[in-house]
Amino acid sequence: MKNKGLLIVLSGPSGAGKGTICKALLNRQKFWLSVSATTRQPRAGEISGKSYHYITREQFKNKIKNDDFLEYAEVYGNFYGTPKSAAIEKIENGEDVILEIDIQGALKVKENYPEGVFIFILPPSMEELRNRIIGRGSETAESLVTRFKSAYQEVNYVSKYNYAVINDTVEEAVSKIESIISAERCRVDRMKDKILDSKEGLLHEQFYD
Ligand code: ADP
Ligand code: 5GP
């Protein structure tokens, strides 16, 4: 029998480097990155269907009604949601799935799927966080203030996560996340099917009780 894939949830304040880390991680290993639906407008350079599925508020409400989301949240005045069926299908098929979502969404996923791996990305300092958001050049002055103020509240939620990774350099942060994932794959509870199915019959089922 195939082991289930991991559900890896990366979150943290805006500007902490989630997107950058995800991209670097995907260049090194095979993961399935969930593409969220959002009601926000596309930014320059974003690709529909790859960065997000851009939908109207009406369409978003219908998806909520149809129970199409694993989780959804309102973040900075826009709605964001993780399409449920694709992610579940991949996990059941043994593929590791990454969600890059906000803290409210991550906590909802944790309630319903506690066996997920919850990783909080922290900036090296609040000053550096501010510099990075400004440096990204994606926000208006107003949106910058909103995101920066929220960041002060959001870092308090780090204690709800399984792991905290400080994004000092991208290389180090990615390497830490790879180590976390390797260790999670070796957890005895995740290895059960593999061990029981092994040709040598390493263990009998009762040893797992
Ligand atoms: P998030 O997805 O968490 O909002 P981003 O990945 O967009 O954050 O990163 C915010 C900005 O910081 C981007 O301009 C990115 O290039 C930069 N950045 C991310 N990680 C680092 C790092 N380790 N060192 C320096 N700049 C970084
Ligand atoms: P941005 O507008 O910068 O792309 O994203 C804003 C915030 O929404 C980020 O913290 C991002 O991680 C989060 N986000 C993106 N997709 C989802 C999602 O599907 N669900 C939730 N809850 N948050 C999301």
Side-chain angles (χ1 to χ4, degrees):
M1 195 203 283
K2 219 179 220 174
N3 276 343
K4 274 189 185 181
L6 295 176
L7 177 65
I8 301 152
V9 180
L10 288 186
S11 58
S14 181
K18 304 179 292 293
T20 307
I21 288 172
C22 253
K23 214 167 143 198
L25 202 55
L26 288 166
N27 281 335
R28 292 166 58 98
Q29 278 193 43
K30 194 173 165 281
F31 294 106
W32 188 80
L33 177 65
S34 166
V35 178
S36 298
T38 183
T39 61
R40 91 149 157 69
Q41 292 300 308
R43 289 185 192 135
E46 287 186 343
I47 302 164
S48 174
K50 198 158 180 245
S51 314
Y52 284 105
H53 300 290
Y54 300 96
I55 61 176
T56 63
R57 283 186 175 241
E58 205 50 45
Q59 287 169 322
F60 202 97
K61 275 188 204 155
N62 280 332
K63 285 186 182 292
I64 297 174
K65 235 191 261 165
N66 294 335
D67 195 26
D68 285 344
F69 291 127
L70 192 61
E71 63 71 37
Y72 67 91
E74 187 177 359
V75 191
Y76 317 123
N78 291 301
F79 286 93
Y80 296 80
T82 305
K84 191 195 278 178
S85 59
I88 299 288
E89 197 181 292
K90 297 285 170 191
I91 292 169
E92 292 295 334
N93 194 36
E95 292 179 53
D96 296 328
V97 168
I98 300 193
L99 308 184
E100 191 223 302
I101 60 176
D102 95 307
I103 290 149
Q104 310 166 66
L107 296 182
K108 278 188 222 160
V109 176
K110 197 170 178 223
E111 256 174 51
N112 300 323
Y113 200 88
E115 63 267 46
V117 182
F118 296 86
I119 306 176
F120 197 96
I121 311 291
L122 286 160
S125 66
M126 294 312 269
E127 170 85 34
E128 178 61 16
L129 180 76
R130 188 169 163 271
N131 293 339
R132 286 184 187 172
I133 307 180
I134 294 171
R136 185 169 65 186
S138 55
E139 311 307 318
T140 60
E142 192 190 358
S143 150
L144 182 78
V145 171
T146 311
R147 285 176 187 242
F148 194 58
K149 273 191 187 158
S150 304
Y152 271 95
Q153 309 293 326
E154 287 169 346
V155 288
N156 293 319
Y157 285 92
V158 63
S159 61
K160 309 263 184 212
Y161 285 68
N162 305 121
Y163 300 95
V165 171
I166 296 176
N167 176 19
D168 219 325
T169 70
V170 177
E171 293 70 30
E172 268 183 74
V174 168
S175 153
K176 281 181 189 160
I177 293 173
E178 285 188 315
S179 303
I180 292 168
I181 294 171
S182 295
E184 284 285 340
R185 285 189 184 128
C186 295
R187 275 176 45 168
V188 172
D189 49 346
R190 298 198 201 278
M191 293 285 289
K192 181 177 175 181
D193 292 336
K194 232 178 212 161
I195 293 171
L196 290 174
D197 279 358
S198 72
K199 273 193 190 139
E200 295 79 17
L202 286 174
L203 282 176
H204 294 293
E205 186 109 43
Q206 73 256 29
F207 288 106
Y208 259 100
D209 294 338

